[in-house]
Amino acid sequence: MSTQEDPIHTHSYENVDPLELLNTCLLSGTSSQVNQTYKTNSKSHGYEDTFFRYSLGKDFFYAVLDGHDGSEVAHFSRDTLVREFCRSIMLGKQNIAEVLEHCISNVDKHLHDRIMPLLEERADIKVKIAGTNNSYEAYQAYPDEIHRLGEIEDQIKGGTTVAVAVIHDSTLYVANVGDSRVILCTYVPGSDSNVEFKIDQLTEDHTTANDNELDRLSQLGLNRQQIQTKRRVGSMETTRSIGDFAVKWGYKDFDILSGATGPPVISKPHVTAGLPVDKSFYFLFLMSDGVYHAVEEMSDCSPEVKNLSPDPNIRIAYLLHDELKQHRDCQKAADNVLEYICKSHFESYSFGCNNCCRRDDMTLTVRLFNNPNKLFGHKRNHSGTIFRSSFSFCSTSSGDTTTPQPRTNDLVDMINSSQSTGSGKFTMPPLTLTNTGTPLSFNSPSSQSSSTGRL
């Protein structure tokens, strides 16, 4: 990239925050939904996901971060990751794959350095109370220390996943820690009529369902079968993360991890590097695990989708494909698909699906590369329903006036009320879901009638 096209190299920016140089990428769109517990009509916790989508000249930066035990680590990691990466580019580093790996590891190191005094204080307290036989005896002997230990645990327990995609010099680089995903969809010219595009997951899920991660944990001396059965590493659902120093430093406190010869939870990312962006690139999407888990949970409840591909990546990709063919608008596509998944997940709960009593925070970012109508033409010839939908929709518009629409919590009240009275019948009013606190209109004719695809 020439310096004329790359604002980051045109001047010396030693005293400038790199975030001030970046613009929101207008070739992409992001939609988010807060977690919801249907039975209690409440949130399980505050919204903990976050994301970024920036452009700088001809470079682009995208990420989805799924925080847990609070949102502080996710927010810190988001801003620090961008700053670390931009500064590396300022210094002229060209191996972007190495830069990404280094930046993600550095974010974890910066976070560690911030809480190091707390970790040292925690270690000192544990040494002091080590002579007691149980927690009751420890509290009786050292009440102030035990209280302080609880405060420290609350401050060091947070963590986050990260999935990042970078386009630099017309080349795509992807890295991730945890189970947030980056999916690339590419056009396959002259392919079989049942396959319109190829769908590739460029990230690796760092969970106990991953054989590579189980092998790594086994090499540390841990019981592979026990880890696989519990599906957790101590208190962690993921085997890699940023933060989570209560587990990284305190893994000996967990019976299942106490025999490990080294930290079981690490921050080393998986990196996919050097994919030239060409005319075959259709679209890219990044998502937190709440998106694809919701799709998986619905699939278990709906007999109409059990014969389709069990891969949620494929179903989500085809939903986005259908929206992009109609609108060629990434923001509208992300909004409509995420609202549709929320609505369908809630519907599965209303029909008694035990897997769909709650859903996690969901974040979906979409980047379009090529006009789908140029790639696939304007014909609409899909077959096969992705999801079942049986809600009744009512007209909300009268002239220029729109009837106020209920939010998800109102719908939960309706479901619970109908179940408690034994009627089990209701008509769903027009739907508005929450996009990080902002109401979104659900475009029912578009996204409902067209949520189909060939698998």
Side-chain angles (χ1 to χ4, degrees):
M1 181 182 296
S2 68
T3 56
Q4 290 181 344
E5 296 175 330
D6 185 3
I8 207 167
H9 288 118
T10 55
H11 300 285
S12 174
Y13 284 107
E14 293 181 2
N15 299 318
V16 176
D17 186 343
L19 292 177
E20 297 177 6
L21 305 176
L22 301 174
N23 301 304
T24 299
C25 174
L26 301 180
L27 301 174
S28 62
T30 300
S31 188
S32 301
Q33 296 286 349
V34 72
N35 64 89
Q36 181 73 54
T37 300
Y38 303 136
K39 285 187 175 180
T40 59
N41 188 16
S42 66
K43 301 176 186 177
S44 298
H45 51 75
Y47 181 74
E48 296 173 336
D49 283 6
T50 190
F51 67 93
F52 62 75
R53 51 187 181 98
Y54 292 125
S55 65
L56 182 66
K58 292 185 178 180
D59 287 0
F60 301 91
F61 316 96
Y62 310 99
V64 165
L65 301 92
D66 179 4
H68 46 267
D69 293 324
S71 61
E72 292 82 3
V73 173
H75 290 166
F76 172 85
S77 301
R78 174 196 63 199
D79 294 343
T80 306
L81 179 59
V82 174
R83 291 187 175 103
E84 284 282 320
F85 186 82
C86 287
R87 286 180 180 132
S88 296
I89 300 302
M90 287 178 187
L91 294 174
K93 296 181 180 179
Q94 295 299 314
N95 190 325
I96 303 303
E98 289 184 2
V99 168
L100 273 177
E101 182 171 349
H102 176 75
C103 288
I104 290 174
S105 297
N106 255 12
V107 171
D108 195 64
K109 182 179 182 300
H110 288 317
L111 188 63
H112 173 269
D113 290 345
R114 286 183 64 188
I115 67 171
M116 187 63 186
L118 291 173
L119 293 171
E120 292 175 343
E121 184 182 358
R122 176 180 183 263
D124 291 341
I125 293 175
K126 284 185 172 291
V127 169
K128 187 173 183 178
I129 67 175
T132 56
N133 295 319
N134 52 57
S135 57
Y136 176 78
E137 186 177 314
Y139 182 76
Q140 292 297 312
Y142 304 102
D144 293 339
E145 287 82 355
I146 295 300
H147 177 73
R148 177 57 183 159
L149 188 62
E151 292 179 335
I152 293 173
E153 296 290 352
D154 286 341
Q155 294 179 63
I156 67 174
K157 68 181 180 180
T160 187
T161 71
V162 59
V164 58
V166 172
I167 300 172
H168 178 72
D169 285 342
S170 299
T171 303
L172 174 65
Y173 303 86
V174 170
N176 83 288
V177 171
D179 57 0
S180 296
R181 294 178 178 177
V182 178
I183 313 295
L184 176 65
C185 299
T186 52
Y187 176 54
V188 184
S191 62
D192 181 86
S193 59
N194 288 326
V195 181
E196 289 187 322
F197 55 91
K198 184 181 179 184
I199 302 166
D200 291 308
Q201 180 173 326
L202 304 182
T203 48
E204 182 176 276
D205 292 346
H206 296 136
T207 69
T208 57
N210 183 332
D211 285 337
N212 292 332
E213 289 298 277
L214 289 174
D215 289 343
R216 181 179 66 81
L217 295 172
S218 295
Q219 292 171 5
L220 294 174
L222 297 179
N223 186 313
R224 181 190 182 105
Q225 186 61 45
Q226 191 178 23
I227 293 287
Q228 197 169 18
T229 300
K230 290 184 176 296
R231 296 190 295 180
R232 283 181 173 271
V233 183
S235 60
M236 298 280 298
E237 294 182 357
T238 57
T239 56
R240 304 191 189 200
S241 71
I242 294 175
D244 292 305
F245 294 108
V247 178
K248 288 178 179 175
W249 269 57
Y251 63 91
K252 294 290 187 180
D253 295 337
F254 297 87
D255 290 341
I256 195 172
L257 305 179
S258 59
T261 58
V265 178
I266 60 177
S267 61
K268 181 179 175 61
H270 171 270
V271 179
T272 300
L275 299 178
V277 178
D278 56 28
K279 293 181 179 180
S280 70
F281 274 43
Y282 178 15
F283 66 92
L284 181 81
F285 64 99
L286 301 81
M287 59 181 171
S288 57
D289 70 331
V291 180
Y292 62 83
H293 282 325
V295 174
E296 291 171 333
E297 291 160 0
M298 287 186 289
S299 302
D300 293 338
C301 301
S302 178
E304 295 184 22
V305 300
K306 285 186 176 180
N307 293 328
L308 301 179
S309 169
D311 189 345
N313 296 346
I314 294 177
R315 297 179 191 159
I316 296 165
Y318 270 92
L319 289 171
L320 287 169
H321 165 62
D322 196 66
E323 288 291 335
L324 290 170
K325 282 193 70 175
Q326 292 182 74
H327 306 298
R328 286 172 288 173
D329 183 324
C330 289
Q331 187 61 55
K332 185 172 289 187
D335 286 345
N336 283 353
V337 168
L338 210 56
E339 289 181 30
Y340 179 64
I341 292 172
C342 287
K343 181 193 68 62
S344 298
H345 191 269
F346 180 70
E347 178 188 0
S348 295
Y349 160 72
S350 73
F351 282 96
C353 177
N354 292 328
N355 290 341
C356 295
C357 294
R358 67 173 300 276
R359 57 173 175 77
D360 202 359
D361 294 329
M362 300 195 294
T363 302
L364 176 65
T365 292
V366 185
R367 161 66 195 270
L368 180 65
F369 292 94
N370 283 297
N371 184 338
N373 291 322
K374 289 183 179 179
L375 293 177
F376 307 106
H378 294 271
K379 59 184 179 181
R380 295 178 53 78
N381 55 0
H382 299 312
S383 62
T385 303
I386 297 290
F387 299 121
R388 170 174 58 101
S389 181
S390 58
F391 279 145
S392 299
F393 286 89
C394 308
S395 175
T396 62
S397 297
S398 176
D400 295 329
T401 304
T402 302
T403 303
Q405 301 179 3
R407 295 177 183 256
T408 305
N409 289 349
D410 300 321
L411 301 175
V412 174
D413 288 338
M414 293 178 60
I415 292 287
N416 290 336
S417 175
S418 66
Q419 291 176 344
S420 64
T421 58
S423 65
K425 298 180 180 180
F426 67 96
T427 298
M428 178 180 158
L431 180 63
T432 293
L433 294 173
T434 303
N435 180 6
T436 58
T438 304
L440 289 171
S441 297
F442 179 64
N443 190 341
S444 58
S446 168
S447 58
Q448 268 310 114
S449 64
S450 63
S451 297
T452 58
R454 296 198 304 252
L455 305 183

